Amino acid sequence: MSITIHIYDDNAALRQSLEQLLDLSGEFIITGSFDQFIAPAAMPDIILMDIDMPGISGIDAVKKIRSFNKKVPIIMLTVFDDNTHILEAICAGASGYLLKKSISEKLVPSIKEMIAEGATLSPSVAKMIIQSMQKTPVKEQYHFSSREKEILEWLCRGNSYKMIAAGLNISFETVRTHIKHIYEKLQVRSATEAVSKAINEKLI
Amino acid sequence: MSITIHIYDDNAALRQSLEQLLDLSGEFIITGSFDQFIAPAAMPDIILMDIDMPGISGIDAVKKIRSFNKKVPIIMLTVFDDNTHILEAICAGASGYLLKKSISEKLVPSIKEMIAEGATLSPSVAKMIIQSMQKTPVKEQYHFSSREKEILEWLCRGNSYKMIAAGLNISFETVRTHIKHIYEKLQVRSATEAVSKAINEKLI
DNA sequence: AGCAACCTCCCCAATTAGGGTGATGATAAA
DNA sequence: TTTATCATCACCCTAATTGGGGAGGTTGCT
């Protein structure tokens, strides 16, 4: 029961050393090795994908693959420790992340982990992802009153002024006043702007 | 240079085995071991926190700690493989996650990883987090047309109908028509509802 | 007394929502 | 080929909601 693998990397030297590493362990069969993205005829068990390829980037390649196959595990390979690309790749549907500097010791364990557990993340990537998930504590710069926070939450749940007034047992006009103050503090001029800013900046 | 550690767990037996494990390695000093959350006088280098304690839960304890200390690494311990608690803990500010079943082999490596890299995640937890970040592919149930998607995005960025019309070079009334269709498909009756639904369900 | 948060009310203008109708072109089904 | 269906675009009218401005009050804290 060998594991079939496709490799996408524009760097021929790295591709060779990947192939050698996988060969050495004896548990893998490389069924494809490409210097750019090519839609495969048959899906392998695992895909290794360089994030930074000329032409179609690794991230775009992941999107293309995910458009017709949601399951095949894709491990991204990168020299970067750069967060935007990593988060983009994860959101596009990559299932794991391996920094190139740690390939020699971690490639085979990572692939096994991926098959056993469904994902693999190097700790530094895990840190990045955890940070991006945590509510940014810095953003307490708007100093809303508790009433304003409350009303902003109601607004973000799609309630009209009327519904908020009824729900909080205050008058319609009072709701309007609070919302005016919220707009001033958020520097916005409409409910949709306020809602999108509140959700995206994790104020709620 | 020993590493100081606090342990919070209501299970005395587990607490003891944690202490023994840490003792054995000789690199750690347990400066506190509690069966419930107590605000520590001095911060240790690392905190181990059971997620499921009576009284103040581990998640609430993380929130309390994070309210005055953003940096101390907190590793959550749990028997559960249950996603909601795990994601909650991460959002509350936990920096790592360890399943209790793998404590014996992974506790010490995880702590070292945490100190070296700033985070540690067991692969199954990593999988969960990755899945929660990826756009839910199931939710393609609304079958928006491409124009509708486009307009929904503009709306979510806080644009008024006028701005959308100008930006897309179509008439105001056409924008309205599309938005009516979007509301029908999303089953909402206002822009704020549409925006919050779109953002929360990752439609954009 | 001064201040801030919270509440109330007013007016007016702008925007948004709900109900239609109708034309076009592209695509699929009969 | 004709008939549907759908997306796109456009317009009408009316009603409801929202946004911007102002003028007041109460309460509690300093």
Side-chain angles (χ1 to χ4, degrees):
Chain A
M1 280 295 289
S2 291
I3 295 158
T4 58
I5 298 195
H6 279 185
I7 300 172
Y8 295 94
D9 198 315
D10 61 303
N11 181 332
L14 182 68
R15 226 166 47 239
Q16 274 201 339
S17 56
L18 285 171
E19 291 171 20
Q20 282 171 3
L21 264 167
L22 295 172
D23 242 19
L24 258 167
S25 97
E27 298 167 81
F28 309 103
I29 300 177
I30 295 159
T31 50
S33 184
F34 315 96
D35 66 351
Q36 56 178 304
F37 177 66
I38 290 157
M43 270 298 154
D45 297 321
I46 294 261
I47 294 174
L48 303 180
M49 175 80 67
D50 180 23
I51 202 169
D52 185 42
M53 289 186 292
I56 299 174
S57 79
I59 292 172
D60 293 332
V62 170
K63 286 180 191 165
K64 277 189 201 294
I65 292 170
R66 282 283 175 260
S67 70
F68 59 89
N69 184 312
K70 309 285 181 213
K71 289 172 69 183
V72 58
I74 305 175
I75 300 179
M76 305 304 287
L77 308 175
T78 184
V79 282
F80 300 119
D81 222 332
D82 148 19
N83 53 12
T84 49
H85 285 304
I86 292 179
L87 291 179
E88 247 186 282
I90 296 287
C91 290
S95 1
Y97 228 98
L98 196 56
L99 297 181
K100 285 189 178 174
K101 65 178 180 189
S102 40
I103 279 181
S104 54
E105 3 40 301
K106 295 232 176 127
L107 179 63
V108 173
S110 287
I111 292 176
K112 287 185 181 170
E113 197 174 84
M114 174 69 92
I115 286 171
E117 312 273 2
T120 182
L121 285 184
S122 73
S124 61
V125 174
K127 185 188 182 186
M128 206 169 285
I129 290 177
I130 286 176
Q131 281 177 345
S132 83
M133 291 191 66
Q134 289 169 356
K135 306 213 175 193
T136 64
V138 198
K139 290 288 170 58
E140 272 312 336
Q141 68 221 159
Y142 297 111
H143 29 260
F144 292 116
S145 75
S146 61
R147 200 52 151 178
E148 285 163 354
K149 269 199 209 95
E150 204 176 3
I151 288 180
L152 183 54
E153 280 176 33
W154 280 73
L155 199 64
C156 287
R157 281 189 228 108
N159 295 289
S160 69
Y161 295 6
K162 266 190 190 174
M163 295 162 84
I164 298 174
L168 298 180
N169 266 306
I170 55 180
S171 92
F172 175 83
E173 288 298 332
T174 305
V175 173
R176 274 170 44 57
T177 306
H178 287 304
I179 288 184
K180 283 176 204 172
H181 294 155
I182 292 169
Y183 286 7
E184 274 173 36
K185 292 180 181 178
L186 277 179
Q187 302 253 55
V188 300
R189 321 177 62 76
S190 73
T192 51
E193 259 187 292
V195 169
S196 84
K197 197 159 186 177
I199 298 180
N200 287 321
E201 299 194 12
K202 303 182 198 196
L203 305 177
I204 48 143
Chain B
M1 280 294 290
S2 291
I3 295 159
T4 58
I5 298 195
H6 279 185
I7 300 173
Y8 295 94
D9 198 316
D10 62 303
N11 182 332
L14 183 67
R15 227 167 47 240
Q16 274 202 340
S17 56
L18 285 171
E19 290 171 19
Q20 282 171 4
L21 265 167
L22 295 173
D23 242 20
L24 259 166
S25 98
E27 298 166 81
F28 308 103
I29 300 178
I30 295 161
T31 50
S33 184
F34 314 96
D35 66 351
Q36 56 179 305
F37 177 66
I38 290 157
M43 271 297 154
D45 296 322
I46 294 260
I47 293 173
L48 302 180
M49 174 79 68
D50 181 23
I51 202 169
D52 185 41
M53 289 187 291
I56 299 174
S57 79
I59 292 172
D60 292 332
V62 169
K63 287 181 191 165
K64 277 189 201 293
I65 292 170
R66 282 284 174 259
S67 69
F68 59 89
N69 184 313
K70 309 286 181 211
K71 290 171 68 181
V72 57
I74 304 175
I75 300 179
M76 304 305 287
L77 308 175
T78 183
V79 282
F80 300 118
D81 223 332
D82 148 20
N83 52 12
T84 50
H85 285 305
I86 292 179
L87 291 178
E88 248 186 281
I90 296 287
C91 291
S95 0
Y97 228 99
L98 196 57
L99 297 180
K100 285 188 178 176
K101 65 178 179 187
S102 41
I103 278 179
S104 54
E105 6 35 303
K106 295 232 176 127
L107 178 63
V108 172
S110 287
I111 291 175
K112 288 185 180 170
E113 197 172 84
M114 175 67 90
I115 286 171
E117 313 271 3
T120 181
L121 284 183
S122 73
S124 62
V125 175
K127 185 187 182 187
M128 206 170 284
I129 290 177
I130 286 176
Q131 281 178 344
S132 84
M133 292 190 66
Q134 289 169 357
K135 308 212 173 193
T136 63
V138 197
K139 290 288 167 63
E140 273 312 335
Q141 68 220 160
Y142 296 110
H143 30 262
F144 292 116
S145 72
S146 60
R147 202 50 152 176
E148 286 163 355
K149 269 199 209 92
E150 205 176 1
I151 288 181
L152 183 55
E153 280 176 32
W154 280 72
L155 200 64
C156 287
R157 281 189 229 109
N159 296 288
S160 69
Y161 294 7
K162 265 190 191 175
M163 296 162 84
I164 298 173
L168 297 180
N169 265 306
I170 56 180
S171 91
F172 174 84
E173 287 298 331
T174 304
V175 173
R176 274 171 41 61
T177 306
H178 287 303
I179 287 183
K180 284 175 203 172
H181 295 154
I182 292 169
Y183 286 6
E184 274 173 35
K185 291 179 181 178
L186 278 179
Q187 302 253 55
V188 300
R189 321 178 63 76
S190 73
T192 52
E193 259 187 292
V195 169
S196 83
K197 197 159 186 174
I199 298 180
N200 287 321
E201 299 193 12
K202 305 183 196 195
L203 304 176
I204 48 146

